[in-house]
Amino acid sequence: MVLLESKADKRLGRQTVAFANPPVLAAAAAVAGPMEGEGPLGRLFDEVVPDRLVGQKTWEQAEVKLLEKAIHRALGKAGLKPTDLDWIVSGDLLNQLGASSFAGRTLDRPFFGVFGACAAWAESLTLAAMMIDGGFAHRVGVAASSHHEAAERQFRYPIEMGYQRPPTATWTVTGAGAAVLVDPRAVGDGAWPRITHATPGRLVDMGIKDPFDLGSAMAPAAADTIEAHLRDTGRGPGDYDLIITGDLGQAGRAIAVELLMQVGYNAEPVLDDCGLMIYDRKRQDVHCGGSGCACSATVFAARFFGDLRAGRMRRMLLVSTGAMFSPTTFQQGESIPGIAYAVAVESQSAAREEDR
Amino acid sequence: MKATMQQEQEFKKLQRKHLPSRPVLRNALLAFLVGGAISAVGEGVRQFFLARGIGPEAAAGPTAAVMIFLGALLTGLGVYDEIGRVGGMGAFLPITGFANSIVAPAMDFKREGWILGMGAKMFTIAGPVVVYGLLTSFAVGLVYYILYIPR
């Protein structure tokens, strides 16, 4: 095959996309479980369900309910109905995307299920933004969910099993986050925040095999994607008010900071982790922090979306991180590859500064 | 990207600097206390049966049954996972832990039905313990036979 000279004109460097018409985040919503509700972000969630089963019979059905609630809340905040969406892009941790697919069943719109482990949130945002900037959609619903009990029984041990988690373990967040992305040309200049860049990540495998230490497995992927993003955009960590990873936890965050230092980026002052924000680690026994698709989705929707919209935060890099393993792969002795997707989100104040 | 052996080694070195240390001493102490407490309860139950005139050998059976019942009950009440979280091996090793390891999956997989759910999955954790327990008993029995029985 002869490759003709061609140029993807929205591509920047090796692996970053710079959107020509940065899609607008019209609304975002977060629904959380009772334990997350007791955490430091409790008051910021759109809804805290009082019951981990959300009135359902199984943990899996409970996760579906959380996802539906989050999508409906995001739509409500944007003043839209499900039928207003062109596509829905959603991801979760369950086998065959059990939560997303079954939530998609009631939403009745064309549906893309995305598996990126806990990175599903930023991966879905990336794909939705590409759909809009590519001219394939006006409005796209994006969602991600996880459920502590549903994840435990699939990946680890039965819920009531009495065992000790090692200190590197993280706690899967029960909750769901959703957002509505719209074409900026449909909403005018005053609508912010917007997704300006996206950097999909490579799968990075440093040979970690411990499923109770996913922070270590994902940190190299997070560092790799952040480095690629900064290199491609010519930016430094200081160009962001905050670089926020999904669920590296305490140890994983420290490893990512050191790996970035090795390639010449000092991210220490601006790099934080959603997993370190969602629980009170002194009071709630979660060891290294929170994890799961809902970790970055709910923390972004509850904690940062409002700040970006109001201009209290100028520009942030959201980096959802995922560990690609299943009980089958780790029982067969495979190591755990990590992946990270980065999306740069800007408020109106950042755009004003650039105009000057 | 799959790291080379050398990259993996270097990463492990970097990783080790940041990993939280396992509180081995505290875990061992708690395992001793929790395991000891469970055993003390077991001894209390045994004394109860002994006091009712059941012989020392015969008392082992009902004592085990009571402890298994207690382990199962506490699992059902959602307490045993908390005991296990604190006590670690001290909670897993006694017969109450064995009961927990059967009742916990039974509760979990009941939702997938009585046969392919609960029935099939309740021994997912205890199954290997039974299998290798039997295998070990057989091996020990064989050694015992070779050493002592023929004489």
Side-chain angles (χ1 to χ4, degrees), chain B residues 51-94:
Chain B
R52 263 152 195 74
I54 301 173
E57 285 223 351
T63 304
V66 168
M67 294 311 283
I68 287 172
F69 170 76
L70 286 178
L73 182 71
L74 291 175
T75 304
L77 293 174
V79 177
Y80 209 87
D81 60 328
E82 296 295 322
I83 299 175
R85 192 172 57 82
V86 177
M89 221 15 144
F92 184 72
L93 216 53

Side-chain angles (χ1 to χ4, degrees), chain A residues 69-343:
Chain A
K69 277 173 180 286
I71 294 172
H72 283 292
R73 287 207 170 249
L75 281 168
K77 286 166 103 174
L80 299 171
K81 302 183 297 297
T83 47
D84 293 324
L85 295 173
D86 294 313
W87 328 119
I88 293 165
V89 184
S90 176
D92 60 84
L93 290 175
L94 300 184
N95 290 335
Q96 287 77 41
L97 293 179
S100 296
S101 310
F102 284 77
R105 185 171 67 172
T106 56
L107 291 160
D108 209 20
R109 291 302 301 152
F111 171 83
F112 294 90
V114 168
F115 185 79
C118 308
W121 176 240
E123 183 178 8
S124 301
L125 284 172
T126 300
L127 294 170
M130 285 177 176
M131 289 170 182
I132 289 175
D133 192 38
F136 304 106
H138 290 293
R139 308 182 195 101
V140 182
V142 180
S145 68
S146 54
H147 192 296
H148 178 75
E149 279 78 8
E152 282 297 303
R153 73 195 292 260
Q154 178 175 315
F155 288 99
R156 297 187 183 92
Y157 295 111
I159 314 301
E160 296 299 337
M161 176 78 195
Y163 74 102
Q164 214 161 38
R165 307 156 68 82
T168 48
T170 49
W171 189 272
T172 309
V173 170
T174 297
V180 178
L181 254 68
V182 299
D183 188 330
R185 289 162 296 189
V187 284
D189 290 341
W192 295 84
R194 300 184 180 194
I195 296 180
T196 59
H197 298 78
T199 307
R202 299 191 290 174
L203 281 151
V204 179
D205 188 339
M206 293 306 250
I208 298 297
K209 290 187 171 176
D210 181 1
F212 279 109
D213 182 15
L214 299 178
S216 293
M218 299 187 292
D224 188 70
T225 300
I226 294 169
E227 182 199 345
H229 176 85
L230 296 175
R231 185 192 60 219
D232 289 348
T233 54
R235 289 175 176 173
D239 288 316
Y240 290 94
D241 295 338
L242 187 67
I243 297 177
I244 185 103
T245 50
D247 51 1
L248 296 183
Q250 192 189 26
R253 179 198 169 270
I255 293 168
V257 166
E258 181 163 349
L259 287 170
L260 282 166
M261 200 67 98
Q262 286 179 353
V263 291
Y265 292 113
N266 180 13
E268 175 66 43
V270 289
L271 195 131
D272 209 334
D273 184 67
C274 295
L276 295 175
M277 309 182 114
I278 192 158
Y279 299 116
D280 180 347
R281 288 171 51 241
K282 286 205 189 78
R283 204 164 44 78
Q284 298 175 301
D285 190 28
V286 297
H287 299 302
C288 251
S291 62
C293 303
C295 190
S296 65
T298 56
V299 172
F300 175 80
R303 174 74 187 75
F304 297 119
F305 177 73
D307 283 352
L308 285 158
R309 169 174 264 185
R312 285 190 295 271
M313 184 181 284
R314 214 170 42 94
R315 181 192 281 155
M316 73 178 284
L317 190 66
L318 170 73
V319 189
S320 295
T321 40
M324 302 298 214
F325 79 106
S326 75
T328 309
T329 61
F330 89 77
Q331 280 168 7
Q332 292 179 350
E334 272 284 1
S335 49
I336 303 171
I339 196 159
Y341 290 82
V343 287

Side-chain angles (χ1 to χ4, degrees), chain B residues 6 16 45 47 53 56 61 75 81 83 86 89 96-97 110 118 122 130 135 139:
Chain B
Q6 198 197 338
R16 226 167 284 143
V45 173
Q47 290 300 331
T75 304
D81 60 328
I83 299 175
V86 177
M89 221 15 144
T96 46
K110 199 182 74 197
M118 200 185 93
M122 70 192 283
V130 173
L135 196 69

